[in-house]
Amino acid sequence: MTRYEYDEEASRRLHMDVVHEVDDRPAPVVRWVDAMRRLNSIDDPLARSVLALHRDCGSGSGVCDGGFEGEAMVQIADWGCETTAVVASHFGIEYPVAPPEAE
């Protein structure tokens, strides 16, 4: 089933309703491991400290989880938390996404 997400900012900017198709299929484990290796290769001291604080986010026991029930790695569709996502983005590391389905 295809899922769509409303984009408030684009809708306001374009003066019309804008939605984006959301691909929430799980990423292959190999891509996830590769992304984690790249994330772990960041050697900036401040980024390393921030990532260490948010190491367990998304597992159910991290500082950002707040009652979140941990999901299996193959069910997660984004970095463990927003902070980790910002650090990864700053260093050009994207969370792996599933390849598009052949039509």
Side-chain angles (χ1 to χ4, degrees), residues 7 12 17 22 28-29 32 37 45 50 64 69 76 86-87 91 94 97 102:
D7 186 336
R12 191 171 35 257
D17 287 335
V22 177
V29 174
W32 188 87
R37 284 186 180 142
V50 169
C64 296
E69 293 294 327
I76 297 173
V86 168
V87 172
F91 288 93
E94 293 185 21
V97 295

Side-chain angles (χ1 to χ4, degrees), residues 5-20:
E5 194 170 89
Y6 182 74
D7 186 336
E8 266 186 70
E9 186 176 313
S11 296
R12 191 171 35 257
R13 187 176 62 249
L14 299 172
H15 304 289
M16 60 187 276
D17 287 335
V18 176
V19 295
H20 301 285

Side-chain angles (χ1 to χ4, degrees), residues 69-76:
E69 293 294 327
E71 294 182 47
M73 181 172 63
V74 295
Q75 298 300 322
I76 297 173

Side-chain angles (χ1 to χ4, degrees), residues 6-87:
Y6 182 74
D7 186 336
E8 266 186 70
E9 186 176 313
S11 296
R12 191 171 35 257
R13 187 176 62 249
L14 299 172
H15 304 289
M16 60 187 276
D17 287 335
V18 176
V19 295
H20 301 285
E21 187 173 346
V22 177
D23 182 4
D24 54 2
R25 292 176 294 161
V29 174
V30 173
R31 285 192 183 145
W32 188 87
V33 170
D34 181 55
M36 290 307 295
R37 284 186 180 142
R38 288 183 285 132
L39 190 65
N40 289 331
S41 71
I42 295 171
D43 59 0
D44 180 87
L46 179 58
R48 292 280 5 124
S49 296
V50 169
L51 289 173
L53 290 171
H54 294 269
R55 177 185 63 217
D56 296 327
C57 295
S59 68
S61 62
V63 295
C64 296
D65 291 342
F68 171 76
E69 293 294 327
E71 294 182 47
M73 181 172 63
V74 295
Q75 298 300 322
I76 297 173
D78 203 354
W79 294 109
C81 72
E82 186 177 349
T83 303
T84 302
V86 168
V87 172

